[in-house]
Amino acid sequence: DATLNTNYPAPYVFESTGNVTLPAPAVLTIAGAYTWENLTVELAWDRTFWSEYEELDIQYSTPLRHPVLAQIFGPPVAKNWDDTDAFRISATYVFNETFTGMVGFAIDENPVPEETLSFELPDSDAMLFSIGGRIKLSEQMELGLGFLYDLKDSRKVNNGAIVGEFENASAILVSAGLSYKF
């Protein structure tokens, strides 16, 4: 459902149902792991084919006739994303039969070219750091906890719609899981 409103040149509200189709990009991954006694090291390379995302085209079931809203929300928005690479390394260490620790690091390229960068997703290249562990509570049950820090690079933009710099962007992800074997 879409509700768009404006006060220019007079109050106006547009309501409609609609749909949008977004591609889910293919990902090619080449990965390998090696184990020495209690330590396993994994390396991975991902190629994500974001170039499938060429435009954002919202289709409304009711025609959008307001001149200002139609100009902004009517035509397809070019995206023209680029294919990206990600490089990952991780290590898992089995300390004892109760506790397993994990660490990871990744470099992740962003797919958004400067000319189509917008405020909806101001992406930039990133470094990701992770740490976690699994605790065996019983023969059937394990508890896992993880922490990931996603540190985005600063990015200067001058594409006509945005002039400036995105900086100090980051994300923190905390996860917990409980598994039970039947």
Side-chain angles (χ1 to χ4, degrees):
D1 294 332
T3 302
L4 308 173
N5 55 54
T6 183
N7 288 325
Y8 181 82
Y12 178 83
V13 176
F14 170 79
E15 292 181 344
S16 177
T17 58
N19 66 66
V20 65
T21 300
L22 298 173
V27 178
L28 171 65
T29 301
I30 297 175
Y34 190 81
T35 300
W36 298 270
E37 296 185 21
N38 293 357
L39 175 66
T40 300
V41 176
E42 300 171 72
L43 296 170
W45 166 73
D46 294 335
R47 178 75 171 175
T48 304
F49 296 93
W50 285 113
S51 58
E52 292 296 313
Y53 189 28
E54 296 174 357
E55 67 181 16
L56 175 63
D57 189 9
I58 301 172
Q59 301 291 316
Y60 302 103
S61 59
T62 306
L64 182 54
R65 296 195 190 334
H66 188 276
V68 174
L69 294 177
Q71 183 179 4
I72 297 169
F73 297 103
V77 178
K79 294 298 179 185
N80 300 320
W81 283 16
D82 299 319
D83 296 340
T84 61
D85 294 308
F87 305 93
R88 307 177 200 291
I89 185 169
S90 65
T92 303
Y93 190 82
V94 179
F95 286 90
N96 53 47
E97 38 176 91
T98 306
F99 181 70
T100 300
M102 297 165 278
V103 296
F105 173 74
I107 296 173
D108 193 12
E109 294 178 338
N110 96 85
V112 186
E114 180 176 342
E115 56 273 3
T116 63
L117 186 75
S118 62
F119 287 107
E120 69 203 32
L121 187 61
D123 204 7
S124 64
D125 294 345
M127 291 188 298
L128 296 96
F129 306 87
S130 61
I131 189 166
R134 282 192 318 263
I135 299 170
K136 188 173 187 178
L137 302 174
S138 70
E139 284 302 314
Q140 292 82 25
M141 194 178 326
E142 285 187 344
L143 173 66
L145 299 170
F147 174 85
L148 180 134
Y149 180 64
D150 182 351
L151 177 63
K152 299 285 188 183
D153 289 348
S154 294
R155 182 172 184 184
K156 292 183 179 182
V157 179
N158 185 355
N159 65 12
I162 300 174
V163 176
E165 184 174 1
F166 291 98
E167 57 185 10
N168 299 322
S170 63
I172 294 174
L173 174 70
V174 178
S175 64
L178 182 66
S179 65
Y180 187 83
K181 296 177 188 174
F182 294 94

